[in-house]
Amino acid sequence: MHYHETSQATKWQLSSQNELNSLRERANRRAREWLAQGSGQADDGGGDEAPQQQLPSIPLEVFGFAATRGDRSSLTTAGAEDVPVVTDESSPSYGPTHNALKNPFLNPTDECLLLSFYASKIPNMIGPRATLPRCVRAPKVAATACLLFKRFYLSNSVMMFDPKCMSVAAAFLASKVEDCMLDVRYLELATKEMNAPVGMDEILQAEVQLLKGCDFDLLMFHPYKTVLACTEDLRVYLKSDRGRCLVEIDDGGGENPNKHFVDRQVVGEDLRPMHNAAMEICDDVIVSDIPLMYGPGEIGMAALMVANDYVCDELIMSPDNEQETGLSKHTKIDLIGYIRSRFQDSTNELQVKIDSNAIESVVSRVTRLSSIIRELKEGKHGCGNHNVDMESLKGVHKKLKKCRAWGQDSSGSKKKKKKRKADE
């Protein structure tokens, strides 16, 4: 099966940021309309506790993606995408803005901030950077968990389902999907290590909800393999007559302004800094919204382009690129030229000749994507690994406590316990 035939390409890959915003707005509105049907309920304790909202009698429902998406838009070409639009709360079509107790609901922007934050914590629970050694797994496990988490909230809201529980459930389910099984008790312990405990029963319950929200569709592909495959192909192709003109190898002249480029064949170690930097970029990409809109092949190639620029500009210094190795300090590769040259006059797996327009379309999308990836360091595009506004995040969390459908009872008991301790 080819990637374009998989459900990730035909069902889950969104056409633009506008479509992503639209899906999240619809999920947010469904939650607001459901919560608005509740009524206020005064606190019976006679204390200073704020009154809690009585939830609607209508059963809480997990919405599947396919049932709520509607007609699928066709993929737009790079550059044809409109400026992202988010419906303003003042719009007459926005829907309810407050619950029965006059507490404001979260808007889609608030939800995006929470999703970015919790998605960025998933690699700390499972994957190569897991805080608990027993939870260390391959990068693809963390990538699968992040994608499961993001997919669930395309059709559901954080006001209806606890994003903390759902992120842990995504990590647990991802370990099964990628055949890297993990005892749920280790994840429970990992959440305690992160000072955000989630019980085993909560994880298992959230896992069932996660499966339904993702339509039980667990087939996923990630850019890590693309980075590795392209690096291996570059190692061979850049030695060919057609590929030699696409690479310039610095002889390691350091800060010498008169440094020159040597004429020799590329070896694997020349590409290692670019490969390692691209893998680090993919670590940022998997927690962002980019995998919802671009395929893993496009992401992997764009990550290599950005990594190549970073390494050549000395923005990323790889510890594997030591001077005493005698190898080049920088290897500058024309990756756009590689795409055009590599697939020129070639045929695909179906023995169909690749059209030049198709190649230019790929170049256009990858070039656009590379500029988006460069903005991840600024905390844009849903990447919670950088420049998180903690003050805004705290404000959204406080706002969520007063309008959510989950955790009201336990929240109230915790407040009372804290109050008793303070009185003592």
Side-chain angles (χ1 to χ4, degrees):
M1 177 184 291
H2 303 293
Y3 173 75
H4 68 272
E5 299 173 330
T6 65
S7 61
Q8 182 164 333
T10 60
K11 174 181 176 180
W12 293 102
Q13 188 172 322
L14 308 181
S15 61
S16 66
Q17 183 69 47
N18 280 339
E19 185 179 9
L20 176 59
N21 290 343
S22 176
L23 289 167
R24 287 175 171 169
E25 285 179 358
R26 276 184 269 171
N28 176 266
R29 177 161 185 164
R30 281 192 296 270
R32 287 185 281 111
E33 290 176 345
W34 187 87
L35 289 166
Q37 299 176 60
S39 60
Q41 180 181 12
D43 181 58
D44 296 331
D48 297 330
E49 296 293 330
Q52 294 182 352
Q53 177 174 332
Q54 185 176 17
L55 298 178
S57 57
I58 305 172
L60 183 64
E61 180 182 358
V62 178
F63 289 96
F65 178 70
T68 58
R69 179 174 189 178
D71 295 334
R72 186 181 191 278
S73 303
S74 59
L75 286 174
T76 59
T77 58
E81 186 176 332
D82 296 329
V83 177
V85 177
V86 178
T87 305
D88 190 80
E89 293 184 47
S90 60
S91 172
S93 61
Y94 182 77
T97 58
H98 293 74
N99 62 15
L101 298 176
K102 305 302 180 182
N103 295 319
F105 293 124
L106 297 188
N107 57 44
T109 304
D110 294 335
E111 292 206 33
C112 289
L113 185 60
L114 286 175
L115 292 178
S116 299
F117 173 74
Y118 283 104
S120 69
K121 300 302 176 185
I122 290 176
N124 295 333
M125 282 188 286
I126 195 167
R129 296 187 285 116
T131 54
L132 196 69
R134 290 181 180 272
C135 295
V136 173
R137 293 293 187 275
K140 65 179 181 179
V141 183
T144 295
C146 290
L147 199 49
L148 283 168
F149 179 77
K150 294 275 188 174
R151 285 181 177 182
F152 177 82
Y153 285 107
L154 289 176
S155 53
N156 296 279
S157 167
V158 298
M159 291 185 286
M160 308 294 281
F161 302 97
D162 185 357
K164 182 173 70 172
C165 294
M166 206 58 64
S167 64
V168 186
F172 182 50
L173 182 57
S175 70
K176 300 178 183 179
V177 172
E178 299 297 344
D179 199 20
C180 300
M181 271 298 296
L182 179 67
D183 194 317
V184 68
R185 290 173 293 183
Y186 295 146
L187 281 174
E188 183 181 16
L189 182 58
T191 60
K192 293 179 181 178
E193 291 284 330
M194 297 169 64
N195 296 319
V198 178
M200 183 169 59
D201 293 340
E202 293 176 296
I203 298 172
L204 297 178
Q205 181 182 1
E207 183 190 18
V208 176
Q209 296 169 336
L210 178 64
L211 281 166
K212 184 175 180 182
C214 293
D215 295 339
F216 301 91
D217 190 347
L218 305 177
L219 182 63
M220 298 179 195
F221 301 91
H222 307 296
Y224 294 105
K225 283 188 176 181
T226 300
V227 171
L228 178 60
C230 287
T231 304
E232 284 296 312
D233 188 66
L234 282 167
R235 184 177 61 84
V236 176
Y237 185 75
L238 294 179
K239 295 177 182 178
S240 66
D241 294 336
R242 185 183 289 185
R244 281 184 181 179
C245 62
L246 301 175
V247 59
E248 293 179 337
I249 304 176
D250 175 18
D251 66 351
E255 299 178 355
N256 181 7
N258 298 319
K259 63 182 180 180
H260 60 278
F261 296 93
V262 296
D263 183 17
R264 64 169 175 81
Q265 286 191 340
V266 171
V267 295
E269 289 299 317
D270 292 325
L271 304 178
R272 184 185 294 275
M274 180 182 68
H275 169 271
N276 293 346
M279 287 295 193
E280 292 178 6
I281 290 170
C282 288
D283 290 341
D284 284 342
V285 170
I286 62 169
V287 302
S288 71
D289 295 332
I290 291 176
L292 296 173
M293 294 175 284
Y294 291 88
E298 296 170 324
I299 295 172
M301 181 55 66
L304 284 169
M305 289 174 60
V306 175
N308 186 42
D309 291 341
Y310 280 175
V311 171
C312 291
D313 295 339
E314 301 182 2
L315 296 178
I316 293 180
M317 299 302 296
S318 172
D320 299 318
N321 194 26
E322 300 289 345
Q323 287 290 337
E324 57 266 21
T325 59
L327 297 170
S328 65
K329 186 176 181 181
H330 295 314
T331 303
K332 186 175 179 59
I333 303 170
D334 179 9
L335 289 171
I336 294 296
Y338 163 72
I339 296 174
R340 290 179 173 139
S341 174
R342 181 69 177 82
F343 300 102
Q344 184 180 7
D345 301 327
S346 61
T347 58
N348 60 15
E349 296 85 348
L350 302 177
Q351 299 303 312
V352 176
K353 187 175 181 179
I354 299 176
D355 184 67
S356 60
N357 292 332
I359 297 176
E360 291 304 315
S361 176
V362 171
V363 169
S364 179
R365 282 181 62 83
V366 170
T367 302
R368 176 177 174 79
L369 178 56
S370 64
S371 65
I372 292 175
I373 289 177
R374 287 185 176 92
E375 296 176 341
L376 294 181
K377 294 290 185 181
E378 303 172 18
K380 296 182 179 180
H381 309 291
C383 181
N385 287 348
H386 308 281
N387 289 344
V388 179
D389 187 346
M390 295 306 297
E391 289 301 319
S392 298
L393 188 64
K394 290 177 183 177
V396 173
H397 267 116
K398 290 180 180 178
K399 193 175 174 182
L400 177 62
K401 288 180 180 179
K402 298 179 181 179
C403 66
R404 64 193 183 188
W406 47 269
Q408 287 191 0
D409 293 336
S410 60
S411 171
S413 63
K414 286 180 181 178
K415 287 181 181 178
K416 290 178 182 178
K417 288 179 181 178
K418 288 182 180 178
K419 187 174 186 301
R420 289 194 195 101
K421 289 182 179 179
D423 292 339
E424 292 174 2

